[in-house]
Amino acid sequence: MTRQKSFKTRVRTRMTKTGESYTTARRQLLEKSGPSATATDPATPATTPDPTPTMPAPAASPAASPATSPGFTASMGAPAPPGATDSALEAAAVRAQQLPEEAVRERTGRPADEWFALLDAWGAAVRTHTEIAHRLVEVHQVDGWWAQSITVAYEQSRGLRAPGQKADGSFSIGATKTVAVPVERLFAAFDDSALRRQWLPDATVRVRTSTAPKSFRADWAEDGTRIVVAFVPKGEAKAQVAVEHTRLPDGEAGARMKAYWRERLAELKRLLES
């Protein structure tokens, strides 16, 4: 445990000096350390060929949310839409967090622990997130969203990624709320600066894009992070908002902002429904 902690400290020191992601910095240190790296980093397996033949293509992934924003579908735990980029798929997988065992087996032909064993045998613990996900897609023909989900779960299980952490080392959190008002009214609560101040009084946001009544993107001026907000009507007088707060520096900041958004969205609901 002491050796592992020491190695992680070396990784983070390199990240600070080079600006590399955790995964890249870790891989560079392992490559420099050579065979002795396995003694320093217990998570590193021996790199051996993957003996498993190519899997037949899995069944189609579950139906995506009707929302068009990847941020919304991820916050709701649904797969990103077909044709989404690798980064959007990864973001969806990160925010989904949980890897449902039965669904994994049904959609990919194997349970998660078997996928983890295959990845260990291939040497995935010293590979990048992209390399692992592409391996699952190209060699094992796993659907893109499920490949991202398995990769995220694998990285978390091997201590390569904390819950909510993205491949670049930053963190992302999400919060949702259903409010009994038309979707246009809910959208205006974000887009109208005067109305926004009533329930978000201490925040300074710089709007990047605003598409009524579907999405709202802004920089969080306090710390340079970013919010992505999506809106979905649930009827004529009910709508759902999903907030994704990205580029957070660590898990502590993620937990703090998740609690913050839960509180603020509760206040938004109270304000609009009163």
Side-chain angles (χ1 to χ4, degrees):
M1 181 63 70
T2 301
R3 289 198 301 268
Q4 186 175 8
K5 183 176 181 181
S6 175
F7 182 78
K8 289 183 176 180
T9 300
R10 290 171 57 202
V11 173
R12 296 190 184 282
T13 299
R14 181 182 173 93
M15 290 170 62
T16 301
K17 291 181 179 180
T18 65
E20 296 170 334
S21 69
Y22 183 93
T23 302
T24 301
R26 179 178 180 278
R27 183 178 59 175
Q28 293 296 328
L29 287 175
L30 288 172
E31 289 176 353
K32 289 183 178 180
S33 300
S36 62
T38 54
T40 304
D41 184 8
T44 305
T47 303
T48 58
D50 185 345
T52 306
T54 301
M55 293 281 292
S61 56
S65 162
T68 57
S69 164
F72 180 82
T73 57
S75 300
M76 297 304 295
T85 62
D86 281 353
S87 59
L89 290 171
E90 182 202 342
V94 168
R95 291 185 295 275
Q97 296 297 319
Q98 300 300 319
L99 194 61
E101 192 65 33
E102 290 303 316
V104 174
R105 185 191 299 271
E106 178 184 349
R107 299 297 182 179
T108 70
R110 297 179 185 276
D113 57 353
E114 288 189 15
W115 284 119
F116 293 174
L118 284 175
L119 292 173
D120 280 338
W122 175 61
V126 294
R127 308 278 184 164
T128 66
H129 175 92
T130 300
E131 288 173 332
I132 299 171
H134 284 187
R135 172 80 175 183
L136 291 169
V137 172
E138 295 170 4
V139 175
H140 298 290
Q141 300 176 354
V142 177
D143 174 80
W145 189 86
W146 284 105
Q148 292 288 344
S149 296
I150 293 169
T151 301
V152 168
Y154 174 81
E155 291 172 324
Q156 291 179 352
S157 72
R158 299 304 186 255
L160 309 178
R161 180 201 294 260
Q165 188 178 24
K166 301 180 70 173
D168 64 1
S170 68
F171 286 72
S172 175
I173 62 93
T176 65
K177 182 67 69 176
T178 298
V179 185
V181 295
V183 68
E184 292 81 6
R185 174 66 171 165
L186 188 55
F187 172 82
F190 282 81
D191 193 51
D192 185 312
S193 59
L195 183 55
R196 187 171 64 239
R197 282 193 295 270
Q198 295 182 40
W199 64 276
L200 207 60
D202 301 323
T204 301
V205 300
R206 299 190 182 98
V207 180
R208 298 176 65 87
T209 62
S210 177
T211 305
K214 296 180 178 180
S215 65
F216 177 88
R217 295 170 181 261
D219 293 325
W220 198 251
E222 280 78 0
D223 56 11
T225 56
R226 186 171 294 177
I227 60 171
V228 180
V229 189
F231 308 86
V232 173
K234 294 293 182 179
E236 292 184 1
K238 183 181 291 186
Q240 188 172 55
V241 58
V243 177
E244 178 195 357
H245 201 135
T246 67
R247 302 187 179 184
L248 297 166
D250 51 43
E252 182 179 347
R256 182 173 65 253
M257 293 312 299
K258 192 171 187 67
Y260 172 85
W261 279 110
R262 284 175 174 171
E263 175 189 288
R264 290 297 87 203
L265 291 183
E267 175 60 19
L268 172 62
K269 180 180 176 69
R270 185 202 64 78
L271 174 68
L272 295 183
E273 292 184 351
S274 61

